[in-house]
Amino acid sequence: MELNLEAKKILLKKIPHGLFICTVRDGDEINGFTASWVTQGSFTPPLVVMAVRADGSSHGMIKRTNKFCLNVLRSDQKELAAIFFKPQKGLGGRFESTAYKYGELGLPILEDVIGGVECQVINSIEHGDHTVFVAEVLSALLHKDGESLNLSSTGWSYGG
Ligand SMILES: Cc1cc2nc3c(=O)[nH]c(=O)nc-3n(C[C@H](O)[C@H](O)[C@H](O)COP(=O)(O)O)c2cc1C
């Protein structure tokens, strides 16, 4: 069977996505990147599913520590999301633009966002150019509820 690549691209781009900043920490090193391939996977226990580029700096950090934090952005934080996908001077350099504190699992949680959930990886699938991590939400910090940023509002595309 031959896959219709054009149809595949159009159809997969229709999957709606939120836009998050995933933060990670390995010892003294912290990093963060913009992530849209994120969804909830279970109520009990509370699970999230996230696909992470295998060639990114954060990928190895998640594999080594089995932890990550998903920071939920406000609908007016497109600029912050842009900082976290652009190249940075050095690992963790993107954090110069925004304040953070460490959460209960020791992961950076951005301060000027809706909030963040710290997650413990329970399983992963390494296949293709992204690794799919399934993780349990172990801590949740809500700064201030509000409307969250979603991919369709930005005009950006990640998918297909
Ligand atoms: C709109 C948008 C959505 C993105 N979503 C993801 C994603 O879900 N997973 C991922 O690994 N990278 C995603 N990226 C790419 C990363 O943000 C980007 O490659 C980043 O530089 C990776 O940082 P790192 O190498 O420091 O980990 C996205 C980029 C954009 C522009």
mmCIF file of all heavy atoms in Angstrom, residues 17-20 22 24 31-38 50-62 81-88 90-92 94 129-131 151 154-159, ligand 1:
data_model
loop_
_atom_site.group_PDB
_atom_site.id
_atom_site.type_symbol
_atom_site.label_atom_id
_atom_site.label_comp_id
_atom_site.label_asym_id
_atom_site.label_seq_id
_atom_site.Cartn_x
_atom_site.Cartn_y
_atom_site.Cartn_z
ATOM 1 N N HIS A 17 -3.917 21.251 18.722
ATOM 2 C CA HIS A 17 -2.883 21.167 19.756
ATOM 3 C C HIS A 17 -2.889 22.390 20.650
ATOM 4 O O HIS A 17 -3.116 23.510 20.180
ATOM 5 C CB HIS A 17 -1.493 21.080 19.122
ATOM 6 C CG HIS A 17 -1.228 19.807 18.407
ATOM 7 N ND1 HIS A 17 -1.069 18.604 19.051
ATOM 8 C CD2 HIS A 17 -1.090 19.537 17.095
ATOM 9 C CE1 HIS A 17 -0.846 17.658 18.168
ATOM 10 N NE2 HIS A 17 -0.857 18.192 16.971
ATOM 11 N N GLY A 18 -2.545 22.174 21.908
ATOM 12 C CA GLY A 18 -2.178 23.277 22.792
ATOM 13 C C GLY A 18 -0.714 23.610 22.547
ATOM 14 O O GLY A 18 -0.039 22.979 21.724
ATOM 15 N N LEU A 19 -0.208 24.605 23.280
ATOM 16 C CA LEU A 19 1.200 24.978 23.152
ATOM 17 C C LEU A 19 1.767 25.165 24.555
ATOM 18 O O LEU A 19 1.215 25.971 25.330
ATOM 19 C CB LEU A 19 1.318 26.256 22.322
ATOM 20 C CG LEU A 19 2.579 26.472 21.513
ATOM 21 C CD1 LEU A 19 2.931 25.269 20.657
ATOM 22 C CD2 LEU A 19 2.427 27.701 20.629
ATOM 23 N N PHE A 20 2.809 24.428 24.858
ATOM 24 C CA PHE A 20 3.349 24.370 26.221
ATOM 25 C C PHE A 20 4.845 24.626 26.203
ATOM 26 O O PHE A 20 5.487 24.514 25.167
ATOM 27 C CB PHE A 20 3.085 22.968 26.820
ATOM 28 C CG PHE A 20 1.653 22.549 26.730
ATOM 29 C CD1 PHE A 20 1.172 21.898 25.596
ATOM 30 C CD2 PHE A 20 0.765 22.828 27.747
ATOM 31 C CE1 PHE A 20 -0.157 21.531 25.488
ATOM 32 C CE2 PHE A 20 -0.571 22.474 27.660
ATOM 33 C CZ PHE A 20 -1.029 21.819 26.520
ATOM 34 N N CYS A 22 7.914 22.798 27.876
ATOM 35 C CA CYS A 22 8.349 21.650 28.669
ATOM 36 C C CYS A 22 9.709 21.987 29.269
ATOM 37 O O CYS A 22 10.628 22.368 28.542
ATOM 38 C CB CYS A 22 8.444 20.416 27.773
ATOM 39 S SG CYS A 22 9.125 18.992 28.644
ATOM 40 N N VAL A 24 12.992 20.822 31.823
ATOM 41 C CA VAL A 24 13.684 19.607 32.277
ATOM 42 C C VAL A 24 14.884 20.006 33.125
ATOM 43 O O VAL A 24 15.385 21.143 33.030
ATOM 44 C CB VAL A 24 14.136 18.742 31.078
ATOM 45 C CG1 VAL A 24 12.949 18.199 30.317
ATOM 46 C CG2 VAL A 24 15.033 19.529 30.119
ATOM 47 N N ASN A 31 16.839 22.961 31.119
ATOM 48 C CA ASN A 31 16.519 23.309 29.736
ATOM 49 C C ASN A 31 15.003 23.390 29.593
ATOM 50 O O ASN A 31 14.258 22.942 30.475
ATOM 51 C CB ASN A 31 17.106 22.281 28.759
ATOM 52 C CG ASN A 31 17.183 22.834 27.344
ATOM 53 O OD1 ASN A 31 17.464 24.017 27.149
ATOM 54 N ND2 ASN A 31 16.917 22.002 26.351
ATOM 55 N N GLY A 32 14.583 23.987 28.501
ATOM 56 C CA GLY A 32 13.154 24.085 28.222
ATOM 57 C C GLY A 32 12.944 24.215 26.731
ATOM 58 O O GLY A 32 13.803 24.755 26.029
ATOM 59 N N PHE A 33 11.827 23.692 26.257
ATOM 60 C CA PHE A 33 11.503 23.800 24.828
ATOM 61 C C PHE A 33 9.990 23.853 24.656
ATOM 62 O O PHE A 33 9.241 23.360 25.496
ATOM 63 C CB PHE A 33 12.087 22.620 24.023
ATOM 64 C CG PHE A 33 11.474 21.282 24.370
ATOM 65 C CD1 PHE A 33 10.465 20.735 23.573
ATOM 66 C CD2 PHE A 33 11.880 20.585 25.491
ATOM 67 C CE1 PHE A 33 9.891 19.514 23.887
ATOM 68 C CE2 PHE A 33 11.304 19.369 25.824
ATOM 69 C CZ PHE A 33 10.311 18.824 25.022
ATOM 70 N N THR A 34 9.581 24.482 23.553
ATOM 71 C CA THR A 34 8.159 24.581 23.224
ATOM 72 C C THR A 34 7.660 23.243 22.699
ATOM 73 O O THR A 34 8.314 22.634 21.848
ATOM 74 C CB THR A 34 7.964 25.681 22.170
ATOM 75 O OG1 THR A 34 8.396 26.906 22.753
ATOM 76 C CG2 THR A 34 6.516 25.802 21.742
ATOM 77 N N ALA A 35 6.540 22.792 23.230
ATOM 78 C CA ALA A 35 5.990 21.491 22.832
ATOM 79 C C ALA A 35 4.501 21.612 22.528
ATOM 80 O O ALA A 35 3.754 22.247 23.280
ATOM 81 C CB ALA A 35 6.210 20.465 23.941
ATOM 82 N N SER A 36 4.106 21.014 21.420
ATOM 83 C CA SER A 36 2.680 21.006 21.067
ATOM 84 C C SER A 36 2.111 19.586 21.000
ATOM 85 O O SER A 36 0.896 19.400 21.093
ATOM 86 C CB SER A 36 2.465 21.699 19.722
ATOM 87 O OG SER A 36 3.238 21.068 18.733
ATOM 88 N N TRP A 37 2.980 18.605 20.821
ATOM 89 C CA TRP A 37 2.493 17.223 20.713
ATOM 90 C C TRP A 37 2.310 16.650 22.117
ATOM 91 O O TRP A 37 3.076 15.813 22.595
ATOM 92 C CB TRP A 37 3.463 16.381 19.892
ATOM 93 C CG TRP A 37 3.430 16.728 18.430
ATOM 94 C CD1 TRP A 37 2.682 17.694 17.813
ATOM 95 C CD2 TRP A 37 4.184 16.095 17.395
ATOM 96 N NE1 TRP A 37 2.932 17.715 16.467
ATOM 97 C CE2 TRP A 37 3.841 16.749 16.180
ATOM 98 C CE3 TRP A 37 5.108 15.067 17.354
ATOM 99 C CZ2 TRP A 37 4.394 16.382 14.945
ATOM 100 C CZ3 TRP A 37 5.657 14.698 16.129
ATOM 101 C CH2 TRP A 37 5.301 15.334 14.946
ATOM 102 N N VAL A 38 1.243 17.125 22.750
ATOM 103 C CA VAL A 38 0.956 16.807 24.149
ATOM 104 C C VAL A 38 -0.524 16.489 24.278
ATOM 105 O O VAL A 38 -1.361 17.183 23.689
ATOM 106 C CB VAL A 38 1.271 18.038 25.047
ATOM 107 C CG1 VAL A 38 0.849 17.791 26.484
ATOM 108 C CG2 VAL A 38 2.746 18.407 24.983
ATOM 109 N N MET A 50 3.548 12.892 25.660
ATOM 110 C CA MET A 50 4.248 13.959 24.929
ATOM 111 C C MET A 50 5.275 13.326 23.993
ATOM 112 O O MET A 50 6.007 12.415 24.385
ATOM 113 C CB MET A 50 4.962 14.899 25.909
ATOM 114 C CG MET A 50 5.802 15.960 25.207
ATOM 115 S SD MET A 50 6.553 17.158 26.331
ATOM 116 C CE MET A 50 7.632 16.115 27.286
ATOM 117 N N ALA A 51 5.340 13.855 22.775
ATOM 118 C CA ALA A 51 6.349 13.387 21.810
ATOM 119 C C ALA A 51 7.499 14.389 21.771
ATOM 120 O O ALA A 51 7.279 15.595 21.638
ATOM 121 C CB ALA A 51 5.730 13.247 20.426
ATOM 122 N N VAL A 52 8.720 13.883 21.910
ATOM 123 C CA VAL A 52 9.909 14.745 22.009
ATOM 124 C C VAL A 52 10.906 14.382 20.916
ATOM 125 O O VAL A 52 11.247 13.194 20.743
ATOM 126 C CB VAL A 52 10.578 14.587 23.400
ATOM 127 C CG1 VAL A 52 11.811 15.481 23.508
ATOM 128 C CG2 VAL A 52 9.582 14.913 24.511
ATOM 129 N N ARG A 53 11.390 15.417 20.212
ATOM 130 C CA ARG A 53 12.376 15.216 19.141
ATOM 131 C C ARG A 53 13.574 14.439 19.647
ATOM 132 O O ARG A 53 14.202 14.841 20.628
ATOM 133 C CB ARG A 53 12.931 16.564 18.684
ATOM 134 C CG ARG A 53 11.999 17.445 17.945
ATOM 135 C CD ARG A 53 12.682 18.786 17.753
ATOM 136 N NE ARG A 53 13.715 18.653 16.748
ATOM 137 C CZ ARG A 53 13.631 19.233 15.549
ATOM 138 N NH1 ARG A 53 12.619 19.992 15.248
ATOM 139 N NH2 ARG A 53 14.586 19.060 14.673
ATOM 140 N N ALA A 54 13.902 13.382 18.939
ATOM 141 C CA ALA A 54 15.021 12.542 19.372
ATOM 142 C C ALA A 54 16.356 13.267 19.230
ATOM 143 O O ALA A 54 17.322 12.926 19.907
ATOM 144 C CB ALA A 54 15.030 11.242 18.569
ATOM 145 N N ASP A 55 16.415 14.298 18.338
ATOM 146 C CA ASP A 55 17.693 15.002 18.143
ATOM 147 C C ASP A 55 17.793 16.279 18.978
ATOM 148 O O ASP A 55 18.743 17.043 18.845
ATOM 149 C CB ASP A 55 17.912 15.314 16.657
ATOM 150 C CG ASP A 55 16.843 16.245 16.090
ATOM 151 O OD1 ASP A 55 15.907 16.610 16.834
ATOM 152 O OD2 ASP A 55 16.949 16.622 14.917
ATOM 153 N N GLY A 56 16.819 16.531 19.856
ATOM 154 C CA GLY A 56 16.854 17.744 20.681
ATOM 155 C C GLY A 56 17.688 17.541 21.945
ATOM 156 O O GLY A 56 17.955 16.416 22.363
ATOM 157 N N SER A 57 18.088 18.664 22.573
ATOM 158 C CA SER A 57 18.902 18.568 23.791
ATOM 159 C C SER A 57 18.098 18.007 24.969
ATOM 160 O O SER A 57 18.669 17.383 25.868
ATOM 161 C CB SER A 57 19.409 19.942 24.209
ATOM 162 O OG SER A 57 19.641 20.761 23.131
ATOM 163 N N SER A 58 16.796 18.269 24.990
ATOM 164 C CA SER A 58 15.988 17.854 26.141
ATOM 165 C C SER A 58 15.727 16.349 26.150
ATOM 166 O O SER A 58 15.463 15.766 27.204
ATOM 167 C CB SER A 58 14.648 18.589 26.137
ATOM 168 O OG SER A 58 14.863 19.968 26.048
ATOM 169 N N HIS A 59 15.794 15.741 24.970
ATOM 170 C CA HIS A 59 15.448 14.320 24.850
ATOM 171 C C HIS A 59 16.296 13.457 25.789
ATOM 172 O O HIS A 59 15.757 12.657 26.567
ATOM 173 C CB HIS A 59 15.635 13.888 23.385
ATOM 174 C CG HIS A 59 15.228 12.486 23.106
ATOM 175 N ND1 HIS A 59 16.130 11.443 23.084
ATOM 176 C CD2 HIS A 59 14.024 11.942 22.859
ATOM 177 C CE1 HIS A 59 15.488 10.316 22.817
ATOM 178 N NE2 HIS A 59 14.202 10.595 22.671
ATOM 179 N N GLY A 60 17.595 13.641 25.742
ATOM 180 C CA GLY A 60 18.493 12.849 26.593
ATOM 181 C C GLY A 60 18.271 13.153 28.067
ATOM 182 O O GLY A 60 18.381 12.263 28.914
ATOM 183 N N MET A 61 17.950 14.419 28.357
ATOM 184 C CA MET A 61 17.738 14.800 29.757
ATOM 185 C C MET A 61 16.497 14.098 30.314
ATOM 186 O O MET A 61 16.481 13.636 31.454
ATOM 187 C CB MET A 61 17.614 16.325 29.878
ATOM 188 C CG MET A 61 18.908 17.048 29.513
ATOM 189 S SD MET A 61 18.779 18.839 29.450
ATOM 190 C CE MET A 61 18.831 19.267 31.185
ATOM 191 N N ILE A 62 15.455 13.998 29.492
ATOM 192 C CA ILE A 62 14.245 13.290 29.946
ATOM 193 C C ILE A 62 14.537 11.801 30.101
ATOM 194 O O ILE A 62 14.134 11.165 31.083
ATOM 195 C CB ILE A 62 13.063 13.528 28.972
ATOM 196 C CG1 ILE A 62 12.684 15.009 28.944
ATOM 197 C CG2 ILE A 62 11.849 12.674 29.384
ATOM 198 C CD1 ILE A 62 11.631 15.379 27.917
ATOM 199 N N ALA A 81 6.608 31.522 23.880
ATOM 200 C CA ALA A 81 6.679 30.229 23.185
ATOM 201 C C ALA A 81 7.745 30.289 22.089
ATOM 202 O O ALA A 81 8.482 29.322 21.861
ATOM 203 C CB ALA A 81 5.317 29.859 22.604
ATOM 204 N N ALA A 82 7.845 31.432 21.410
ATOM 205 C CA ALA A 82 8.829 31.567 20.316
ATOM 206 C C ALA A 82 10.259 31.491 20.865
ATOM 207 O O ALA A 82 11.135 30.871 20.247
ATOM 208 C CB ALA A 82 8.613 32.874 19.572
ATOM 209 N N ILE A 83 10.481 32.112 22.017
ATOM 210 C CA ILE A 83 11.832 32.067 22.612
ATOM 211 C C ILE A 83 12.250 30.621 22.874
ATOM 212 O O ILE A 83 13.398 30.236 22.667
ATOM 213 C CB ILE A 83 11.860 32.893 23.923
ATOM 214 C CG1 ILE A 83 11.751 34.374 23.597
ATOM 215 C CG2 ILE A 83 13.124 32.592 24.743
ATOM 216 C CD1 ILE A 83 11.516 35.271 24.796
ATOM 217 N N PHE A 84 11.278 29.805 23.264
ATOM 218 C CA PHE A 84 11.626 28.441 23.685
ATOM 219 C C PHE A 84 11.702 27.429 22.531
ATOM 220 O O PHE A 84 11.935 26.243 22.769
ATOM 221 C CB PHE A 84 10.683 27.965 24.800
ATOM 222 C CG PHE A 84 11.155 28.411 26.167
ATOM 223 C CD1 PHE A 84 10.924 29.702 26.624
ATOM 224 C CD2 PHE A 84 11.881 27.557 26.989
ATOM 225 C CE1 PHE A 84 11.381 30.131 27.869
ATOM 226 C CE2 PHE A 84 12.343 27.973 28.236
ATOM 227 C CZ PHE A 84 12.097 29.263 28.672
ATOM 228 N N PHE A 85 11.507 27.892 21.292
ATOM 229 C CA PHE A 85 11.832 26.951 20.199
ATOM 230 C C PHE A 85 13.002 27.458 19.358
ATOM 231 O O PHE A 85 13.522 26.732 18.517
ATOM 232 C CB PHE A 85 10.629 26.567 19.330
ATOM 233 C CG PHE A 85 10.002 27.648 18.494
ATOM 234 C CD1 PHE A 85 10.674 28.221 17.433
ATOM 235 C CD2 PHE A 85 8.701 28.051 18.754
ATOM 236 C CE1 PHE A 85 10.077 29.194 16.646
ATOM 237 C CE2 PHE A 85 8.091 29.038 17.982
ATOM 238 C CZ PHE A 85 8.783 29.607 16.928
ATOM 239 N N LYS A 86 13.408 28.718 19.594
ATOM 240 C CA LYS A 86 14.526 29.253 18.812
ATOM 241 C C LYS A 86 15.856 28.771 19.394
ATOM 242 O O LYS A 86 15.930 28.423 20.569
ATOM 243 C CB LYS A 86 14.462 30.775 18.793
ATOM 244 C CG LYS A 86 13.308 31.262 17.929
ATOM 245 C CD LYS A 86 13.251 32.765 17.848
ATOM 246 C CE LYS A 86 12.071 33.189 16.976
ATOM 247 N NZ LYS A 86 11.657 34.558 17.222
ATOM 248 N N PRO A 87 16.927 28.792 18.576
ATOM 249 C CA PRO A 87 18.240 28.383 19.090
ATOM 250 C C PRO A 87 18.642 29.260 20.274
ATOM 251 O O PRO A 87 18.295 30.440 20.331
ATOM 252 C CB PRO A 87 19.175 28.632 17.891
ATOM 253 C CG PRO A 87 18.297 28.633 16.699
ATOM 254 C CD PRO A 87 16.966 29.145 17.150
ATOM 255 N N GLN A 88 19.354 28.671 21.232
ATOM 256 C CA GLN A 88 19.776 29.415 22.412
ATOM 257 C C GLN A 88 21.303 29.430 22.477
ATOM 258 O O GLN A 88 21.969 28.587 21.890
ATOM 259 C CB GLN A 88 19.180 28.809 23.680
ATOM 260 C CG GLN A 88 19.423 27.316 23.829
ATOM 261 C CD GLN A 88 18.683 26.723 25.013
ATOM 262 O OE1 GLN A 88 18.202 27.428 25.883
ATOM 263 N NE2 GLN A 88 18.593 25.393 25.055
ATOM 264 N N GLY A 90 23.386 28.875 25.080
ATOM 265 C CA GLY A 90 23.873 27.649 25.716
ATOM 266 C C GLY A 90 22.683 26.967 26.357
ATOM 267 O O GLY A 90 21.604 27.566 26.454
ATOM 268 N N LEU A 91 22.876 25.743 26.792
ATOM 269 C CA LEU A 91 21.782 25.016 27.425
ATOM 270 C C LEU A 91 21.201 25.851 28.573
ATOM 271 O O LEU A 91 21.942 26.345 29.411
ATOM 272 C CB LEU A 91 22.306 23.678 27.958
ATOM 273 C CG LEU A 91 21.263 22.617 28.253
ATOM 274 C CD1 LEU A 91 20.612 22.106 26.983
ATOM 275 C CD2 LEU A 91 21.892 21.456 29.018
ATOM 276 N N GLY A 92 19.896 26.038 28.584
ATOM 277 C CA GLY A 92 19.249 26.813 29.650
ATOM 278 C C GLY A 92 19.174 28.298 29.365
ATOM 279 O O GLY A 92 18.558 29.053 30.122
ATOM 280 N N ARG A 94 17.473 30.010 27.360
ATOM 281 C CA ARG A 94 16.111 30.540 27.143
ATOM 282 C C ARG A 94 15.479 31.057 28.431
ATOM 283 O O ARG A 94 14.561 31.869 28.397
ATOM 284 C CB ARG A 94 15.231 29.443 26.539
ATOM 285 C CG ARG A 94 15.655 29.025 25.137
ATOM 286 C CD ARG A 94 14.924 27.771 24.695
ATOM 287 N NE ARG A 94 15.338 27.354 23.366
ATOM 288 C CZ ARG A 94 15.513 26.092 22.998
ATOM 289 N NH1 ARG A 94 15.294 25.116 23.851
ATOM 290 N NH2 ARG A 94 15.890 25.793 21.777
ATOM 291 N N ASP A 129 11.341 9.827 14.500
ATOM 292 C CA ASP A 129 12.149 11.000 14.860
ATOM 293 C C ASP A 129 11.750 11.643 16.177
ATOM 294 O O ASP A 129 12.408 12.568 16.650
ATOM 295 C CB ASP A 129 12.143 12.033 13.714
ATOM 296 C CG ASP A 129 10.743 12.359 13.235
ATOM 297 O OD1 ASP A 129 9.775 12.098 13.974
ATOM 298 O OD2 ASP A 129 10.614 12.879 12.110
ATOM 299 N N HIS A 130 10.660 11.212 16.774
ATOM 300 C CA HIS A 130 10.263 11.658 18.110
ATOM 301 C C HIS A 130 10.097 10.438 19.017
ATOM 302 O O HIS A 130 9.727 9.365 18.539
ATOM 303 C CB HIS A 130 8.928 12.413 18.082
ATOM 304 C CG HIS A 130 9.030 13.816 17.549
ATOM 305 N ND1 HIS A 130 9.479 14.097 16.288
ATOM 306 C CD2 HIS A 130 8.730 15.020 18.116
ATOM 307 C CE1 HIS A 130 9.457 15.417 16.101
ATOM 308 N NE2 HIS A 130 9.008 16.000 17.191
ATOM 309 N N THR A 131 10.358 10.634 20.300
ATOM 310 C CA THR A 131 10.073 9.588 21.285
ATOM 311 C C THR A 131 8.797 9.973 22.025
ATOM 312 O O THR A 131 8.642 11.125 22.444
ATOM 313 C CB THR A 131 11.234 9.453 22.292
ATOM 314 O OG1 THR A 131 12.384 8.989 21.583
ATOM 315 C CG2 THR A 131 10.901 8.470 23.404
ATOM 316 N N LEU A 151 -2.057 26.173 19.451
ATOM 317 C CA LEU A 151 -1.242 26.275 18.233
ATOM 318 C C LEU A 151 -1.962 27.019 17.116
ATOM 319 O O LEU A 151 -1.362 27.845 16.422
ATOM 320 C CB LEU A 151 -0.840 24.864 17.776
ATOM 321 C CG LEU A 151 0.082 24.769 16.569
ATOM 322 C CD1 LEU A 151 1.408 25.458 16.842
ATOM 323 C CD2 LEU A 151 0.318 23.314 16.189
ATOM 324 N N THR A 154 -1.595 30.794 16.727
ATOM 325 C CA THR A 154 -0.276 31.390 16.470
ATOM 326 C C THR A 154 0.038 31.509 14.979
ATOM 327 O O THR A 154 0.914 32.279 14.600
ATOM 328 C CB THR A 154 0.849 30.529 17.100
ATOM 329 O OG1 THR A 154 0.834 29.240 16.472
ATOM 330 C CG2 THR A 154 0.675 30.382 18.602
ATOM 331 N N GLY A 155 -0.641 30.741 14.155
ATOM 332 C CA GLY A 155 -0.300 30.714 12.723
ATOM 333 C C GLY A 155 0.894 29.818 12.434
ATOM 334 O O GLY A 155 1.300 29.654 11.282
ATOM 335 N N TRP A 156 1.492 29.241 13.479
ATOM 336 C CA TRP A 156 2.626 28.333 13.285
ATOM 337 C C TRP A 156 2.109 26.927 12.960
ATOM 338 O O TRP A 156 0.933 26.609 13.195
ATOM 339 C CB TRP A 156 3.480 28.224 14.547
ATOM 340 C CG TRP A 156 4.073 29.514 15.007
ATOM 341 C CD1 TRP A 156 4.404 30.589 14.233
ATOM 342 C CD2 TRP A 156 4.397 29.870 16.358
ATOM 343 N NE1 TRP A 156 4.925 31.587 15.021
ATOM 344 C CE2 TRP A 156 4.943 31.178 16.332
ATOM 345 C CE3 TRP A 156 4.300 29.211 17.595
ATOM 346 C CZ2 TRP A 156 5.365 31.840 17.473
ATOM 347 C CZ3 TRP A 156 4.725 29.875 18.740
ATOM 348 C CH2 TRP A 156 5.255 31.168 18.677
ATOM 349 N N SER A 157 3.023 26.124 12.463
ATOM 350 C CA SER A 157 2.645 24.751 12.145
ATOM 351 C C SER A 157 3.701 23.797 12.686
ATOM 352 O O SER A 157 4.903 24.052 12.577
ATOM 353 C CB SER A 157 2.527 24.616 10.625
ATOM 354 O OG SER A 157 2.386 23.261 10.274
ATOM 355 N N TYR A 158 3.265 22.740 13.308
ATOM 356 C CA TYR A 158 4.178 21.658 13.715
ATOM 357 C C TYR A 158 3.367 20.385 13.585
ATOM 358 O O TYR A 158 2.536 20.067 14.421
ATOM 359 C CB TYR A 158 4.654 21.859 15.162
ATOM 360 C CG TYR A 158 5.847 20.991 15.556
ATOM 361 C CD1 TYR A 158 7.132 21.366 15.217
ATOM 362 C CD2 TYR A 158 5.663 19.797 16.245
ATOM 363 C CE1 TYR A 158 8.230 20.585 15.576
ATOM 364 C CE2 TYR A 158 6.756 19.010 16.599
ATOM 365 C CZ TYR A 158 8.037 19.416 16.267
ATOM 366 O OH TYR A 158 9.121 18.646 16.624
ATOM 367 N N GLY A 159 3.572 19.706 12.488
ATOM 368 C CA GLY A 159 2.777 18.504 12.253
ATOM 369 C C GLY A 159 2.642 18.228 10.780
ATOM 370 O O GLY A 159 3.114 18.982 9.936
HETATM 371 C C1 LIG B 1 4.943 25.277 17.100
HETATM 372 C C2 LIG B 1 6.006 24.336 17.542
HETATM 373 C C3 LIG B 1 5.678 23.195 18.232
HETATM 374 C C4 LIG B 1 6.667 22.286 18.634
HETATM 375 N N1 LIG B 1 6.302 21.142 19.289
HETATM 376 C C5 LIG B 1 7.277 20.260 19.652
HETATM 377 C C6 LIG B 1 6.930 19.050 20.306
HETATM 378 O O1 LIG B 1 5.778 18.748 20.585
HETATM 379 N N2 LIG B 1 7.954 18.205 20.649
HETATM 380 C C7 LIG B 1 9.265 18.505 20.381
HETATM 381 O O2 LIG B 1 10.144 17.722 20.735
HETATM 382 N N3 LIG B 1 9.613 19.645 19.750
HETATM 383 C C8 LIG B 1 8.646 20.527 19.391
HETATM 384 N N4 LIG B 1 8.987 21.669 18.764
HETATM 385 C C9 LIG B 1 10.400 21.913 18.459
HETATM 386 C C10 LIG B 1 11.210 22.341 19.682
HETATM 387 O O3 LIG B 1 10.564 23.391 20.412
HETATM 388 C C11 LIG B 1 12.582 22.833 19.192
HETATM 389 O O4 LIG B 1 13.174 21.824 18.391
HETATM 390 C C12 LIG B 1 13.505 23.165 20.325
HETATM 391 O O5 LIG B 1 14.600 23.890 19.804
HETATM 392 C C13 LIG B 1 14.052 21.948 21.050
HETATM 393 O O6 LIG B 1 14.887 22.409 22.078
HETATM 394 P P1 LIG B 1 16.041 21.535 22.726
HETATM 395 O O7 LIG B 1 16.894 20.996 21.589
HETATM 396 O O8 LIG B 1 16.787 22.546 23.572
HETATM 397 O O9 LIG B 1 15.405 20.458 23.534
HETATM 398 C C14 LIG B 1 8.018 22.566 18.351
HETATM 399 C C15 LIG B 1 8.357 23.728 17.647
HETATM 400 C C16 LIG B 1 7.363 24.597 17.237
HETATM 401 C C17 LIG B 1 7.744 25.836 16.460
#
